[in-house]
Amino acid sequence: MLIPHENKWESDTVADLIDIGTHKLFISTSGPPRRRGEPVVLFFTGAGAPVATVCRLQRLLSEYFRVYFYDRGGYDRSERNPNGSLDAQNGAIDLQRLLGIIGVAPPYVVVGYSYGGIAARAFMELYRDTSDAIVGLVLADCGTELAYQMYPKIPPAALDAVGKDVDLGELTYLREASQLTDEEWDTAMEAVERTAKQIGKGEEIYRSAAVLAWSQQCSRHALDPWPVSVIRCNMAKDFRMIFDEGVKRGQGTIQERMDAVDFLELFRTYDDDVRSIQLRLSSCNRYVVFEDAGHDDLFRRPGKYVDEVRWVMAEMRNLRRDRA
């Protein structure tokens, strides 16, 4: 049932910087007006990727759902929290405060991409003792606690040396595949540059993953019975392309190339195990593998990821109906 809305953040297309007390955060919303009791979709971007880079995904999701895309502290127009580190846990608290200020209460369906999966699950942890606040989760080629424990640096220094100055996006024609307009692309690249200047290497990715690991979400099936979709792309293919292009250019010492190959083999061998562990978050789950796609597939084929949000929403509604 549609209800009259006094809150523009649940009915209109809005984008603004919101003061949460300590600093300001940028958030935008679009899509159909929220219905009574219906969950809304919250999207968490990957490391260094402000929401301007996923404008096409937001457009497509908005055709079906009320969605919220926000920039973490230090990203693009969002200010850094002067009182906290740039970790997923502080970011989750910031977002919870932001949603409270604009009057957007649970339930939520949460979508994370890349490192955004750690950030999304840190947000989920805030509602550990709140029944049915988070009623669905999509993890799009996300990093996991185990991955950050296995690899001290991704990619390692050896692969960085061999692949120095190799631009994977240019190599694979990301600009063309993104289908962004010139204005959208320029806006996105400017946002990425601003973000890089503002956060530098200050984002506490590994510490965030370690703190999340202590919560034992997978072993306690933290989201049961709500649906979880886990998507795995072929990031090993990306690393191999960078390596091959670097070797073609004559880069890296023999030892660096050998170390890089060791990493490539390790990553290729265990990547499926590292990602699929997220399925244990709920007994209602599905695992989608895009073996032909690299890590940036979300920017190339956002419709595939919209499909997974639609699956989660459909399963969530089925569970609610069965409970009624």
Side-chain angles (χ1 to χ4, degrees), residues 28-186:
S28 67
T29 183
S30 52
R34 189 178 196 180
R35 293 174 179 270
R36 187 187 299 276
E38 275 289 290
V40 295
V41 176
L42 308 179
F43 183 79
F44 292 75
T45 62
V51 294
T53 63
V54 287
C55 60
R56 188 168 160 228
L57 174 67
Q58 182 169 2
R59 273 199 304 274
L60 293 175
L61 275 173
S62 297
E63 294 177 11
Y64 303 97
F65 313 114
R66 168 64 39 175
V67 300
Y68 296 81
F69 281 56
Y70 91 109
D71 279 320
R72 294 189 288 276
Y75 277 54
D76 195 15
R77 288 156 286 189
S78 289
E79 299 171 351
R80 289 187 63 159
N81 186 335
N83 304 321
S85 61
L86 288 174
D87 60 42
Q89 286 71 30
N90 279 322
I93 293 169
D94 285 350
L95 178 59
Q96 187 181 52
R97 187 178 303 147
L98 170 61
L99 292 170
I101 289 170
I102 65 175
V104 178
Y108 307 124
V109 166
V110 178
V111 181
Y113 165 66
S114 191
Y115 167 67
I118 298 293
R121 290 172 53 206
F123 179 78
M124 189 175 93
E125 191 64 17
L126 295 179
Y127 296 90
R128 178 171 179 167
D129 299 321
T130 306
S131 177
D132 301 340
I134 311 294
V135 294
L137 179 63
V138 177
L139 296 169
D141 211 33
C142 290
T144 67
E145 310 93 309
L146 182 57
Y148 291 116
Q149 179 65 32
M150 286 179 64
Y151 308 113
K153 184 177 180 299
I154 306 173
L159 184 54
D160 281 341
V162 177
K164 183 180 179 182
D165 296 328
V166 174
D167 186 330
L168 184 64
E170 184 177 309
L171 205 62
T172 58
Y173 305 101
L174 175 60
R175 168 69 187 90
E176 294 80 2
S178 72
Q179 298 184 36
L180 299 183
T181 66
D182 289 342
E183 182 180 0
E184 288 171 337
W185 180 263
D186 291 343

Side-chain angles (χ1 to χ4, degrees), residues 231-250:
I231 304 162
R232 178 179 72 79
C233 298
N234 190 350
M235 195 186 294
K237 183 183 74 167
D238 293 341
F239 291 141
R240 172 57 71 173
M241 290 180 68
I242 292 170
F243 176 83
D244 289 344
E245 180 65 20
V247 170
K248 183 180 176 181
R249 298 180 186 184

